[in-house]
Amino acid sequence: MDTKKIHISDYNYELPDERIAKFPLAERDSSKLLVYDKGTVSEDVFTSLPKYVPKGALMVFNNTKVIQARLHFRKKAPIPHPSLSEQNSPSRSLSPIGREEEQPLGARIEVFCLEPAVPNDYQLNFSQRGMVEWYCLVGNLKKWKDGKLYREIDVQGELVTLSCERKGIHGTSHLIAFTWDSDHTWAELLDAVGELPIPPYLNRETQESDKRTYQTVYSKIKGSVAAPTAGLHFTERVLAALDEAGVDREELTLHVGAGTFKPVKSEEIGGHDMHTEHIAVQRQTIEKLIAHGGKAVAVGTTSVRTLESLYYMGIKAGNLQEAGDLHIDQWMPYETDPIPTVQALRQLLDYMDRNQLEVLHSSTQIIIAPGYEYHIVERMVTNFHQPQSTLLLLVSAFVKGDWHKIYDYALSHDFRFLSYGDSSILIP
């Protein structure tokens, strides 16, 4: 099969708006679970997941944490800080997220933080004080010709002026410099002023409850602008049941970018440019993969993309004596001769040893579509994806084109779709 010739229109289905879950269930793990097992489709409840994972299997989770990446600014400079007595005056107050309840400050501009630029390391960037730069999307750009935008916010009881300025264009995004007049970290400012960027297809405003429900219970590493939503069903109860069932658990990090919602606009997927996402994998995770014969149960498509990228990073690492670029471009898997999975992972481990790395930091642009041969992922937990999306292509490749059977069943049995919807476990 020539993967590049696949027509995205062949991966379409009718998804009524009422089937899109606008809000999560009250109990995360009470969602329905579709079970696809070697061509047979049935259903269960998510709390039953452990019985579909073999004892001794390795289950891999993405521990990324969604940041409050959506910021709003005003075009005009704010009024100078008032005196302390004026701040405490009844005529001046701040809303809970820091917006002034006074006269408007001009055109409202949305700045959506995508990826750190200076410093380009996520954790280092979040710990910065005074200034950072990010690659961002800008809403209402036509109203922002030049100059700085300002926002006055309440950060832990202190009034702080946050400004942003465009520094250049980077592909489809803008390089934005943020500066502020306090000793607070960038992470503290985002927590105070940012809004959680729930998926656009929910067609609603972010609510306070989303700050809890749009994070996995095991989220740890800040950096995503979208949740790894297959993980939203897990609770401490389900994780404990997996442990009791003898399932080995490991975590890795892939920071989900806004590109995950990027539609395929080309007729053939060969014309679609996949977005790049950044990953971090501990040495012990690769050792665990090797100990499990190079096989794993992936929780979510982000874990799938990371695990399968590790295989190809191992192939690249085998040709490098020193530290080099292990980035996986989208078509590498279709242009590379395969080697045994454990060999590839051992080559990756050797590369880390040579370069004294405890954590592998790299990036991937991998596209997984029919014609792709999976190397590491043997079972997959995933939600139900949008029509004509690259994630639906990934699922189709995993179940050897049987995606219609899965989605027809889900649509005819009242399953809830997309980020806050129900779940499935796929056993090819």
Side-chain angles (χ1 to χ4, degrees):
M1 171 183 287
D2 186 348
T3 300
K4 293 183 180 180
K5 297 292 186 183
I6 288 175
H7 287 246
I8 194 63
S9 57
D10 292 337
Y11 295 83
N12 195 15
Y13 68 94
E14 185 176 347
L15 177 59
D17 184 68
E18 62 268 19
R19 303 306 297 275
I20 299 173
K22 300 299 194 298
F23 292 92
L25 298 176
E27 296 292 333
R28 292 173 183 254
D29 56 14
S30 63
S31 59
K32 296 173 74 170
L33 178 70
L34 182 146
V35 181
Y36 173 87
D37 190 352
K38 299 176 179 61
T40 300
V41 182
S42 60
E43 65 181 272
D44 208 327
V45 65
F46 195 81
T47 49
S48 299
L49 178 69
K51 75 182 184 183
Y52 300 104
V53 183
K55 182 178 181 180
L58 176 64
M59 191 170 229
V60 179
F61 299 76
N62 182 6
N63 63 13
T64 189
K65 189 168 189 174
V66 184
I67 62 173
Q68 294 178 195
R70 181 177 282 123
L71 307 173
H72 292 104
F73 288 86
R74 293 293 183 180
K75 192 176 171 186
K76 297 177 183 177
I79 300 168
H81 284 184
S83 66
L84 184 60
S85 61
E86 287 176 314
Q87 287 187 42
N88 295 327
S89 168
S91 64
R92 175 186 176 85
S93 62
L94 291 171
S95 69
I97 61 171
R99 293 193 184 94
E100 293 195 2
E101 295 174 352
E102 294 184 344
Q103 72 270 21
L105 299 175
R108 191 171 189 245
I109 312 294
E110 180 176 289
V111 180
F112 192 124
C113 297
L114 297 178
E115 180 184 336
V118 180
N120 62 6
D121 176 82
Y122 279 87
Q123 300 313 307
L124 187 59
N125 191 289
F126 289 130
S127 66
Q128 292 298 295
R129 302 173 191 274
M131 194 278 288
V132 294
E133 293 184 7
W134 277 66
Y135 297 117
C136 304
L137 297 178
V138 178
N140 206 13
L141 180 62
K142 64 184 178 181
K143 296 288 187 180
W144 185 16
K145 301 300 183 185
D146 51 34
K148 289 186 177 182
L149 304 178
Y150 295 89
R151 176 81 181 269
E152 283 192 336
I153 54 177
D154 182 4
V155 184
Q156 300 169 358
E158 179 182 346
L159 196 62
V160 176
T161 299
L162 173 66
S163 70
C164 68
E165 184 177 12
R166 288 158 58 198
K167 307 289 284 189
I169 296 177
H170 179 76
T172 58
S173 61
H174 296 262
L175 179 61
I176 305 290
F178 297 95
T179 56
W180 58 98
D181 59 351
S182 76
D183 195 44
H184 293 98
T185 66
W186 178 233
E188 290 172 329
L189 264 71
L190 282 180
D191 286 344
V193 71
E195 294 180 9
L196 201 74
I198 60 172
Y201 48 67
L202 294 184
N203 291 319
R204 64 172 176 82
E205 294 293 319
T206 300
Q207 302 196 9
E208 189 65 24
S209 61
D210 291 308
K211 293 181 180 180
R212 175 181 56 83
T213 59
Y214 197 58
Q215 300 278 15
T216 64
V217 297
Y218 48 81
S219 64
K220 296 180 180 69
I221 312 299
K222 289 184 176 181
S224 282
V225 299
T229 54
L232 296 180
H233 305 277
F234 286 85
T235 58
E236 294 298 339
R237 171 172 61 176
V238 173
L239 294 174
L242 287 166
D243 293 341
E244 188 176 342
V247 176
D248 202 356
R249 291 195 279 131
E250 270 296 314
E251 295 179 358
L252 44 72
T253 307
L254 180 143
H255 290 315
V256 189
T260 192
F261 303 118
K262 181 181 178 182
V264 180
K265 295 183 177 179
S266 57
E267 182 179 346
E268 297 180 342
I269 67 165
H272 179 71
D273 288 328
M274 281 293 288
H275 56 288
T276 296
E277 291 172 315
H278 296 271
I279 69 171
V281 182
Q282 302 278 341
R283 188 184 195 281
Q284 71 171 32
T285 303
I286 298 171
E287 291 174 334
K288 279 275 189 76
L289 283 167
I290 293 171
H292 284 81
K295 298 298 180 184
V297 178
V299 176
T301 57
T302 58
S303 295
V304 170
R305 285 165 49 76
T306 305
L307 289 168
E308 293 298 312
S309 294
L310 288 179
Y311 170 82
Y312 288 98
M313 288 176 185
I315 292 178
K316 291 187 76 170
N319 298 317
L320 295 171
Q321 292 305 311
E322 300 179 354
D325 182 14
L326 294 183
H327 170 79
I328 304 303
D329 70 44
Q330 69 184 76
W331 299 115
M332 180 188 170
Y334 307 90
E335 300 164 350
T336 304
D337 292 330
I339 64 174
T341 302
V342 170
Q343 179 186 337
L345 293 172
R346 288 193 185 280
Q347 288 180 180
L348 189 55
L349 203 58
D350 290 344
Y351 170 87
M352 294 180 69
D353 289 343
R354 289 195 303 273
N355 293 285
Q356 299 181 321
L357 301 175
E358 281 301 312
V359 182
L360 177 70
H361 291 276
S362 191
S363 58
T364 183
Q365 200 182 355
I366 193 170
I367 184 168
I368 298 177
Y372 180 88
E373 291 295 328
Y374 280 82
H375 299 280
I376 293 177
V377 179
E378 59 179 357
R379 297 186 184 203
M380 182 192 309
V381 178
T382 189
N383 287 10
F384 298 96
H385 306 291
Q386 288 182 291
Q388 299 190 92
S389 64
T390 57
L391 298 182
L392 189 55
L393 293 173
L394 180 152
V395 167
S396 181
F398 193 66
V399 297
K400 305 299 183 186
D402 224 3
W403 73 271
H404 267 301
K405 181 184 293 186
I406 295 167
Y407 278 67
D408 287 348
Y409 185 98
L411 286 165
S412 62
H413 288 74
D414 296 323
F415 277 73
R416 301 160 73 248
F417 277 61
L418 306 186
S419 296
Y420 275 143
D422 293 316
S423 186
S424 69
I425 182 165
L426 309 179
I427 307 169

